[in-house]
Amino acid sequence: MGDSLLEQHEGARTQEAASVDIRDLYRRGDPLRFIAAAKDCSTEEVSVLALTQADIKDELERSRAVRRRCLATNETLLANEDMIERLHASEIDRDEIPKVLTALGISIDVQIAAELLHIPGIPGGQPVEEVLPRRLSDKLSLLYVTGVHHQIEPDYQLALGKMSLAAVSELRGLLNSRLPYRRMAEILAVIETTALAIRARAITTISHADYKNAVETTSLRLGSIANDSSDPWPVPAAKLRTRYGYGSWESVLKSAGMRLMSYDQRFSEVDYLEALDRFTEDCINLGIPMNIELYDQWIMAEAAVKNECPSAVEVIRHYGSWDEAIEVVLPRDLESDEEPDSHEFHWGFPFGFEDESLAINEAKSQRATEEWKQAGELIGQLLAKMPWNGFLRVEYDGDEEITTRPYAQGTPSADGVWCEIVSEQYLPTAEWPIDRRYLEKSGWSAPDEEVPNWRKERVPTGEAGHAIVRGLRHGRRCKDANKLRWSTGEFPSGPGPDGGVTIERALEGEVQNLRNAA
């Protein structure tokens, strides 16, 4: 592909020189479609070249540049919103509006402005929600969880001599007064010892995923220790990144004297899935294609409102290809062997129907998504309240003609939840379909001699319920969330109760599902 680009567009220049040019444009945060236009190729070709040529430092540099340029450009768009509205009402092309603003003497980043203006329904800048001010308790949470993750041995004498009264007062006001003094002393000692280790460069970093997992484990050990249950401490990873890092995990680390060691420290598996989920949902709602170019525009719009998302190249690197990334969150409909006669299908959603039919299909899809999400939340709540080494089983009651049906199971522990999805050994593909590629790409380990089912280890409690239902929905092709049922202990025979099964009763062994959950 590189040779054809050179022959057609670069003349006698070498492929290496062409790649360096693209790499420089990529590093400085230029939108992919503008890079493609400059090199006279497609955004897909640009992403492939960036994937092969850009290294870790390039990805971090691009992230910083995109964030900086998008925030500044969004402020300019907001300051000139009335003029932009008038230009848009005059049917001036969105790509031309930034050029008109420049001609009028307004200093603006033309490329980034064009991308932000290309988001459908947004003729002007996007209002940034008011971000709550940084809190001292946020930094204390970061230090404490980092120390726990790195297994810091608390130095109580150091904490007694060095800990500021402001920090002690902050925690005393935040944490429950019933917290034992020894536990409070341990927390303070870990915080101060971790701060010393960071200053000594003994600790230099913690990834977003490691922080998230450590918070899950610590919360299980400590329980709910904050006075306000809606504002937990240690601070959840997502809230810490938004409030203390203004949307950037790198900013979070810098605030405590640490740094990112690689680009992949910024995001967890859930971050990738959530970004793709939100992107595909926006595409469906707006009726726009789910391609690399529009994803690049979408993440710039997110950066403009201080939301950090993986780049298109990071997504491709993570999942192997763009198509496989989209298929993880929006699998193709493999259940119909017949091709539709006169309608195009795009990732399982029909286009070309009458508007009313499309609206009905989208409403059904949205309702199904909400039902699967609710099932994941209910199962997650149950797992969070189960004792360690307790046992939860989820079954899909979707076909009366076969005796073996898809099932999953989860066992919580101090390190998270051990999750399993039934393998082909116990439920052959001939009896029930399986999507091995989805399971592999979603981080499930294939069956082996020791563990005959598909498994995920150390899944954070807050994510385990959703991981299980996604595994059943996409990995074992279960269609209807209402046909799930779950319980703890030995799975009882016969139908479950008609209604009103609370978490407490489910913990005692009763069967729970979407219809009877109370």
Side-chain angles (χ1 to χ4, degrees):
M1 180 183 66
D3 291 340
S4 64
L5 284 173
L6 290 173
E7 292 170 1
Q8 186 174 359
H9 309 299
E10 299 295 334
R13 299 181 66 184
T14 64
Q15 181 177 357
E16 180 181 2
S19 298
V20 168
D21 285 345
I22 288 180
R23 183 177 176 183
D24 287 342
L25 297 174
Y26 186 77
R27 282 172 58 87
R28 75 185 193 190
D30 284 9
L32 294 184
R33 73 183 180 104
F34 281 89
I35 299 176
K39 304 304 295 180
D40 199 12
C41 62
S42 68
T43 52
E44 288 75 14
E45 289 173 315
V46 169
S47 65
V48 170
L49 288 171
L51 183 67
T52 57
Q53 296 296 325
D55 58 21
I56 292 173
K57 292 182 179 179
D58 295 330
E59 200 64 63
L60 289 175
E61 186 61 34
R62 177 175 178 81
S63 173
R64 297 179 188 122
V66 166
R67 176 179 172 82
R68 182 176 60 252
R69 292 174 65 178
C70 288
L71 288 173
T73 303
N74 195 53
E75 288 184 4
T76 304
L77 292 175
L78 285 171
N80 296 276
E81 189 171 8
D82 290 341
M83 182 179 296
I84 292 170
E85 291 282 359
R86 291 197 298 272
L87 294 173
H88 183 258
S90 301
E91 298 185 352
I92 295 177
D93 187 85
R94 292 173 186 264
D95 274 346
E96 298 300 317
I97 290 177
K99 299 176 185 178
V100 174
L101 295 176
T102 301
L104 294 173
I106 297 172
S107 178
I108 193 168
D109 188 323
V110 172
Q111 291 186 353
I112 299 298
E115 297 304 88
L116 297 182
L117 292 174
H118 261 277
I119 300 299
I122 306 175
Q126 301 183 79
V128 181
E129 293 183 5
E130 183 178 354
V131 178
L132 295 175
R134 283 181 166 182
R135 301 180 184 177
L136 176 58
S137 59
D138 291 338
K139 183 175 183 179
L140 298 177
S141 175
L142 174 63
L143 292 172
Y144 177 66
V145 174
T146 300
V148 170
H149 172 70
H150 287 282
Q151 299 181 332
I152 283 289
E153 187 68 29
D155 187 331
Y156 292 91
Q157 289 185 341
L158 175 69
L160 183 62
K162 293 280 293 181
M163 198 77 181
S164 70
L165 292 178
V168 175
S169 177
E170 179 84 5
L171 282 181
R172 283 192 177 278
L174 179 71
L175 303 185
N176 197 300
S177 60
R178 294 191 297 273
L179 184 69
Y181 290 127
R182 289 184 178 180
R183 183 67 72 192
M184 174 67 80
E186 177 205 352
I187 291 173
L188 294 173
V190 169
I191 289 171
E192 195 57 48
T193 310
T194 302
L196 177 63
I198 292 172
R199 290 193 294 270
R201 311 309 298 167
I203 293 177
T204 57
T205 192
I206 182 172
S207 71
H208 181 265
D210 285 340
Y211 178 90
K212 182 180 176 67
N213 292 339
V215 167
E216 295 280 355
T217 302
T218 302
S219 297
L220 283 173
R221 178 170 61 89
L222 297 179
S224 179
I225 61 174
N227 285 321
D228 184 357
S229 59
S230 65
D231 189 19
W233 197 95
V235 181
K239 180 175 287 188
L240 186 71
R241 180 166 60 188
T242 299
R243 188 169 64 197
Y244 200 65
Y246 300 120
S248 167
W249 189 248
E250 184 177 22
S251 297
V252 170
L253 296 181
K254 282 185 175 180
S255 70
M258 295 185 285
R259 58 193 176 94
L260 278 175
M261 303 302 290
S262 67
Y263 74 91
D264 57 355
Q265 286 191 325
R266 296 181 296 147
F267 305 112
S268 65
E269 176 67 28
V270 172
D271 290 322
Y272 281 95
L273 290 171
E274 287 183 350
L276 288 170
D277 268 336
R278 290 192 292 116
F279 169 67
T280 53
E281 183 178 357
D282 286 347
C283 288
I284 292 168
N285 291 336
L286 296 170
I288 57 179
M290 304 171 193
N291 58 31
I292 294 173
E293 180 177 310
L294 283 172
Y295 180 78
D296 191 54
Q297 291 179 353
W298 183 83
I299 63 171
M300 289 189 175
E302 291 290 302
V305 291
K306 300 181 179 179
N307 291 332
E308 187 176 35
C309 298
S311 72
V313 173
E314 286 177 299
V315 169
I316 294 170
R317 183 182 288 113
H318 186 75
Y319 290 105
S321 74
W322 179 252
D323 285 349
E324 290 182 9
I326 294 296
E327 194 165 347
V328 165
V329 294
L330 202 60
R332 297 176 188 269
D333 187 359
L334 300 181
E335 291 151 0
S336 175
D337 294 328
E338 297 182 1
E339 292 293 330
D341 294 332
S342 58
H343 307 297
E344 294 182 2
F345 277 72
H346 184 70
W347 299 107
F349 287 85
F351 291 90
F353 286 178
E354 295 294 328
D355 291 343
E356 183 177 355
S357 298
L358 180 57
I360 292 173
N361 285 337
E362 289 182 356
K364 289 180 178 179
S365 174
Q366 182 65 29
R367 184 169 63 251
T369 299
E370 290 299 322
E371 288 172 348
W372 283 100
K373 181 179 179 181
Q374 182 186 1
E377 289 173 352
L378 288 169
I379 292 170
Q381 291 171 10
L382 190 55
L383 285 166
K385 290 182 176 291
M386 286 175 58
W388 292 351
N389 299 320
F391 181 81
L392 179 138
R393 183 179 176 95
V394 184
E395 279 198 346
Y396 184 74
D397 194 16
D399 191 336
E400 298 298 333
E401 296 181 358
I402 62 173
T403 56
T404 305
R405 302 183 180 95
Y407 67 85
Q409 49 202 30
T411 304
S413 70
D415 297 325
V417 181
W418 174 286
C419 301
E420 291 187 24
I421 298 290
V422 62
S423 69
E424 305 92 311
Q425 178 177 340
Y426 299 112
L427 184 58
T429 306
E431 295 185 15
W432 202 283
I434 187 169
D435 189 340
R436 295 179 59 91
R437 185 169 63 173
Y438 168 82
L439 293 169
E440 290 170 353
K441 292 297 182 183
S442 300
W444 290 85
S445 299
D448 53 33
E449 292 183 359
E450 294 184 2
V451 182
N453 282 327
W454 290 85
R455 68 186 184 278
K456 260 191 178 183
E457 303 176 40
R458 299 181 178 180
V459 180
T461 306
E463 302 172 18
H466 295 293
I468 287 173
V469 298
R470 280 197 296 262
L472 288 171
R473 183 185 185 187
H474 302 311
R476 292 295 336 207
R477 296 296 180 185
C478 299
K479 302 177 185 178
D480 186 357
N482 287 288
K483 294 182 179 180
L484 292 175
R485 60 178 186 172
W486 52 89
S487 67
T488 59
E490 183 178 353
F491 198 85
S493 59
D498 293 332
V501 179
T502 63
I503 287 179
E504 289 72 20
R505 288 171 60 185
L507 287 169
E508 294 173 359
E510 292 193 34
V511 179
Q512 194 180 54
N513 56 41
L514 283 180
R515 291 182 294 275
N516 70 15

